[in-house]
Amino acid sequence: QKEVEQDPGPLSVPEGAIVSLNCTYSNSAFQYFMWYRQYSRKGPELLMYTYSSGNKEDGRFTAQVDKSSKYISLFIRDSQPSDSATYLCAMSGRGTSYDKVIFGPGTSLSVIP
Amino acid sequence: DAGITQSPRYKITETGRQVTLMCHQTWSHSYMFWYRQDLGHGLRLIYYSAAADITDKGEVPDGYVVSRSKTENFPLTLESATRSQTSVYFCASSERGFPTNEKLFFGSGTQLSVL
């Protein structure tokens, strides 16, 4: 079993839709949870960062962490064509592999105008 | 320009050849990382460095060598390239390391093909 699982998609939604992206993980030592956005032929860029459980909101983006279920989510409200990208969840914590950030495989999102 | 730059952007080589991918950052970040990205595997850590002259292995280090004589440079060398090393390689840096690692800054990547 991989440490971090993520549905690869592709996910296609109409402009204005609410998008839900999810990751599950197996290692309860993870404490720091991140979402990166990666446009085609570009490097990933940090979108959201949360520590432990709870919600964090930033504009149209909301990150949720449920440590009891080992499940994290990223919600995008009023999705725009510019949101079309691959979204990578990432996490880290003491005692995890190499004590460094572990990435999910990414979900490809297309927002259709 | 400020940021993290990788070169070359694209590279084609043959099996058995030595290849070096370059990475340069202008922020003076202490931590630097090399990842490879493959379909279905996501980003996997090859090597990382906490400071100049300090490097350590990541998840998939076999066949790779790194060095860090200066804070701003972190080259990755494939000593004898194999087809399984065909991938997109990303260099990243961060101001802080464990436990937060909260902000990794990535370069634009090097797409390497080994024929």
Side-chain angles (χ1 to χ4, degrees):
Chain A
Q1 182 186 9
K2 292 182 178 178
E3 282 193 285
V4 180
E5 304 268 9
Q6 188 175 6
D7 187 337
L11 183 62
S12 183
V13 301
E15 183 176 353
I18 296 174
V19 177
S20 172
L21 304 169
N22 310 295
C23 283
T24 58
Y25 62 94
S26 58
N27 194 331
S28 58
F30 287 135
Q31 297 174 292
Y32 301 87
F33 303 92
M34 294 143 277
W35 286 94
Y36 281 79
R37 178 175 61 195
Q38 184 176 20
Y39 291 115
S40 181
R41 296 191 174 85
K42 297 289 186 183
E45 56 179 342
L46 183 66
L47 197 58
M48 298 288 283
Y49 170 83
T50 54
Y51 169 67
S52 195
S53 288
N55 293 359
K56 184 174 183 178
E57 188 173 321
D58 184 1
R60 296 183 295 109
F61 299 89
T62 300
Q64 284 186 354
V65 175
D66 181 349
K67 290 190 71 178
S68 62
S69 301
K70 298 190 180 68
Y71 189 88
I72 68 171
S73 300
L74 177 70
F75 297 96
I76 306 174
R77 292 184 300 279
D78 187 25
S79 56
Q80 302 295 309
S82 59
D83 295 328
S84 297
T86 296
Y87 290 81
L88 308 168
C89 63
M91 45 200 79
S92 67
R94 184 168 293 283
T96 55
S97 303
Y98 309 101
D99 291 338
K100 293 296 173 283
V101 178
I102 304 297
F103 286 84
T107 298
S108 176
L109 171 67
S110 292
V111 181
I112 311 301
Chain B
D1 291 341
I4 185 165
T5 55
Q6 292 183 236
S7 61
R9 189 81 173 86
Y10 302 94
K11 176 72 178 178
I12 299 174
T13 191
E14 296 176 339
T15 55
R17 290 191 180 269
Q18 183 179 79
V19 178
T20 296
L21 310 183
M22 305 301 292
C23 179
H24 175 79
Q25 53 108 351
T26 60
W27 293 299
S28 298
H29 284 168
S30 295
Y31 290 82
M32 295 189 75
F33 308 83
W34 274 106
Y35 286 88
R36 60 178 289 174
Q37 187 173 38
D38 304 287
L39 200 63
H41 289 280
L43 285 161
R44 291 182 291 175
L45 182 64
I46 304 171
Y47 267 96
Y48 64 96
S49 169
D53 297 322
I54 300 175
T55 62
D56 209 345
K57 296 177 180 179
E59 181 184 359
V60 288
D62 293 344
Y64 303 96
V65 174
V66 293
S67 62
R68 195 163 176 211
S69 57
K70 293 184 179 180
T71 300
E72 61 268 29
N73 296 324
F74 191 39
L76 175 74
T77 297
L78 287 66
E79 294 185 296
S80 179
T82 64
R83 287 181 181 162
S84 65
Q85 293 178 309
T86 292
S87 186
V88 181
Y89 291 84
F90 287 101
C91 179
S93 71
S94 69
E95 187 175 6
R96 285 181 272 189
F98 184 84
T100 52
N101 295 309
E102 74 268 26
K103 201 159 201 173
L104 291 173
F105 293 86
F106 284 86
S108 295
T110 294
Q111 189 168 323
L112 175 68
S113 295
V114 183
L115 305 180

